[in-house]
Amino acid sequence: MQVLGRFEMRSGEFRPLWIVRKTGGTYGLRRGGLHDEVSATVLTPPWRIRESILNTSIADRRRFLQAGAASLATTALASAPGLARAARTPPLKALAIDGFTTFDPRPILALTEQLFPGRGAELSSLWRTRQFEYSWLRTLMGRYADFWQVTEEALVFATQQLKLELRPAQRDQLMQAFLSLKAWPDVRAAFVALREAGIRLAFLSNFTDRMLDAASHSAGLADLLDPHLSTDRVRVFKPHPRAYQMGVDAFGLPREQIGFAAFGGWDAAGAKAFGYPTFWVNRTQQATEQLGSMADAQGSNFEALLLWALGS
């Protein structure tokens, strides 16, 4: 059992000391300084506290979230699974999120293999690579087309390059799969905790509004988000600075108070170069891009992102 953080919180006439401990994959909370010491086992992350167990008011819990997050993140950063480098300041008031950090693409990969047995992995890799390359090339050429079109054109190229026959029904199946994506299992709890801590959330993504709307509802996240910031608004794709500027304009905050959660290393580099405090959700354990800027921190999951975002 490891102590991850201690938080003092004024509550009535006493100042209880909350000690957050972790054993395996679960967290416990212990209230020190009282004879009737209370302990509880809760789901990760630790600030998802059950009020009935801890017997705290809403106001107390909010104070705990705001005052205690810094100590927790600072103490836990070194031991949190998948988290590298330190927390940042000033405190974040908003978080702009790339769609691929949130939506799990594995059903699309499985469908690709189902439609093209034995070639699915190869096709998926080439399709994904061309998807982003086409977005960058179109931005450089000044020939913007939305991400739905770019994705479809990349699919057509990839099948032609691999000499695979792509029938219209197969193309429609693969494209429609982007509208029914689910979230990674660690996402919703992190989104709820961030919102309860007063941090606004919005996708800042190459996805079209239609793609973001459909996937957000499919994943059960629509109620937690500010309006989407699709690159369709500015007609350039990330990592162009105009794409990142959407967050500043929409949130009405200085960039130093807006965190950015990137899925791709190139996106992390672009966001950091723009001036956002940046976290790289490196789910696939990719090497760091050599682009002259890098994320402030990285981790393999949203629990690590949450620790970082609440870390000031």
Side-chain angles (χ1 to χ4, degrees):
M1 185 174 287
Q2 180 183 16
V3 176
L4 295 183
R6 294 179 172 84
F7 314 117
E8 291 189 347
M9 177 178 65
R10 294 186 182 276
S11 178
E13 298 179 355
F14 61 89
R15 297 178 65 190
L17 183 67
W18 297 97
I19 303 175
V20 181
R21 302 175 182 270
K22 181 178 179 183
T23 305
T26 62
Y27 290 84
L29 297 173
R30 186 175 298 276
R31 184 167 60 186
L34 299 175
H35 293 296
D36 56 339
E37 199 168 62
V38 178
S39 63
T41 299
V42 296
L43 296 176
T44 56
W47 38 83
R48 298 291 299 141
I49 306 167
R50 293 181 182 176
E51 291 172 42
S52 60
I53 295 176
L54 301 180
N55 195 26
T56 63
S57 67
I58 291 289
D60 280 344
R61 186 171 75 170
R62 286 197 176 139
R63 281 197 294 273
F64 173 83
L65 282 164
Q66 292 166 355
S71 296
L72 171 62
T74 302
T75 309
L77 281 175
S79 59
L83 184 60
R85 290 192 291 280
R88 80 288 140 300
T89 56
L92 297 182
K93 294 184 178 180
L95 187 66
I97 305 156
D98 179 64
F100 282 108
T101 65
T102 300
F103 302 121
D104 182 356
R106 289 176 295 182
I108 298 178
L109 306 183
L111 178 60
T112 306
E113 176 62 26
Q114 177 186 330
L115 295 176
F116 299 95
R119 305 295 299 278
E122 183 182 16
L123 174 57
S124 295
S125 178
L126 182 56
W127 182 16
R128 182 171 58 250
T129 298
R130 275 297 188 273
Q131 190 180 38
F132 289 110
E133 289 177 346
Y134 278 4
S135 71
W136 302 329
L137 289 169
R138 281 188 169 276
T139 297
L140 288 171
M141 295 163 60
R143 300 289 298 274
Y144 185 82
D146 69 31
F147 200 64
W148 182 267
Q149 179 178 331
V150 166
T151 298
E152 188 169 19
E153 290 172 346
L155 173 60
V156 170
F157 170 85
T159 53
Q160 290 178 349
Q161 179 71 13
L162 298 177
K163 296 180 171 48
L164 299 171
E165 180 186 0
L166 178 66
R167 296 190 294 274
Q170 294 173 318
R171 181 176 60 190
D172 290 345
Q173 271 186 278
L174 288 167
M175 292 298 299
Q176 291 299 314
F178 278 94
L179 303 180
S180 57
L181 292 171
K182 304 299 183 185
W184 292 93
D186 57 1
V187 170
R188 184 171 175 85
F191 274 16
V192 170
L194 288 164
R195 286 296 302 267
E196 288 186 353
I199 296 177
R200 296 164 62 189
L201 307 173
F203 286 122
L204 196 162
S205 174
N206 287 340
F207 279 26
T208 67
D209 276 329
R210 176 178 173 238
M211 295 169 77
L212 289 168
D213 281 341
S216 296
H217 283 91
S218 176
L221 302 174
D223 60 315
L224 301 172
L225 294 161
D226 280 24
H228 308 312
L229 305 176
S230 166
T231 51
D232 286 351
R233 293 188 180 200
V234 291
R235 298 186 65 79
V236 290
F237 290 109
K238 296 182 293 180
H240 195 287
R242 287 211 326 259
Y244 299 115
Q245 180 66 34
M246 290 191 296
V248 175
D249 296 341
F251 289 125
L253 295 168
R255 65 191 70 185
E256 296 82 8
Q257 294 179 2
I258 303 170
F260 187 85
F263 178 78
W266 60 268
D267 198 11
K272 183 60 182 176
F274 178 75
Y276 284 142
T278 302
F279 187 92
W280 181 16
V281 185
N282 189 5
R283 292 191 184 274
T284 56
Q285 302 299 303
Q286 297 296 305
T288 302
E289 299 286 357
Q290 302 301 302
L291 291 170
S293 62
M294 60 193 303
D296 297 288
Q298 66 170 288
S300 60
N301 54 48
F302 262 51
E303 289 183 3
L305 169 64
L306 183 55
L307 284 172
W308 174 80
L310 296 178
S312 359

